[in-house]
Amino acid sequence: MSELSVDLHWHRAEPALQSGKYSAEHTVRYNSAIEVLVDAAPDWGGKPENTNPEQALAAALSSCHMMTFLALAAKAGWPVASYADHAVAHLGKNAKGQMSVTRIDLHPVVRFDIGFTVEDDKLVDMQDRAHRYCFIANTLADSVDVNIL
């Protein structure tokens, strides 16, 4: 099977590593080319202009769901013109009482070529199939509730 990797780099900017007194800001490099500034979520002291792991998880799920939906739609002959989503990761305590991403809500909006329509129940079914076949959703299946709204 495939192995997919990223490179992460952090260095201490403060004189000493002391609890609550250091920056978690770091870089994640994709494909040796694209570098993203990552930090803790703002509620945990991170800079709001940086992404955070929880957002990255929501982005991974949203992206995987979309690509799976598009593959299924193409096989079904559905002329998808555009796809947009607003993914929201929710933090809370899991069954073990640990802080966790407990739920991710996806809000996909699919637009088709002019003149093409599909019944709402068929669109819901296709979204459900995309969820069932999405690699990331399957990875999270036992620990995170995913809602497609």
Side-chain angles (χ1 to χ4, degrees):
M1 297 305 293
S2 297
E3 288 186 9
L4 305 164
S5 65
V6 299
D7 294 306
L8 180 143
H9 182 73
W10 172 88
H11 69 275
R12 192 182 74 235
E14 299 76 20
L17 184 64
Q18 297 177 337
S19 183
K21 296 184 179 179
Y22 65 91
S23 171
E25 185 176 70
H26 58 284
T27 59
V28 173
R29 181 174 289 182
Y30 296 87
N31 303 326
S32 301
I34 301 166
E35 203 165 87
V36 177
L37 276 176
V38 182
D39 207 339
D43 289 353
W44 299 96
K47 294 178 183 175
E49 63 269 19
N50 294 340
T51 193
N52 58 66
E54 298 81 9
Q55 285 176 314
L57 182 62
L61 176 65
S62 177
S63 180
C64 181
H65 182 90
M66 180 207 66
M67 289 186 286
T68 306
F69 179 90
L70 292 176
L72 293 170
K75 285 182 181 180
W78 292 8
V80 176
S82 68
Y83 183 107
D85 191 11
H86 177 74
V88 181
H90 298 268
L91 298 176
K93 298 234 175 157
N94 64 16
K96 296 178 183 178
Q98 301 165 317
M99 283 302 294
S100 170
V101 173
T102 57
R103 187 177 94 226
I104 299 175
D105 296 334
L106 302 180
H107 300 85
V109 176
V110 181
R111 302 274 189 247
F112 298 99
D113 288 352
I114 294 171
F116 181 84
T117 59
V118 62
E119 294 83 23
D120 288 344
D121 62 327
K122 288 187 179 183
L123 184 57
V124 168
D125 181 58
M126 188 70 83
Q127 291 287 3
D128 181 60
R129 288 180 60 213
H131 176 67
R132 284 184 284 133
Y133 296 135
C134 169
F135 301 164
I136 303 298
N138 290 334
T139 301
L140 301 173
D142 293 334
S143 59
V144 179
D145 290 330
V146 176
N147 297 312
I148 303 165
L149 308 171

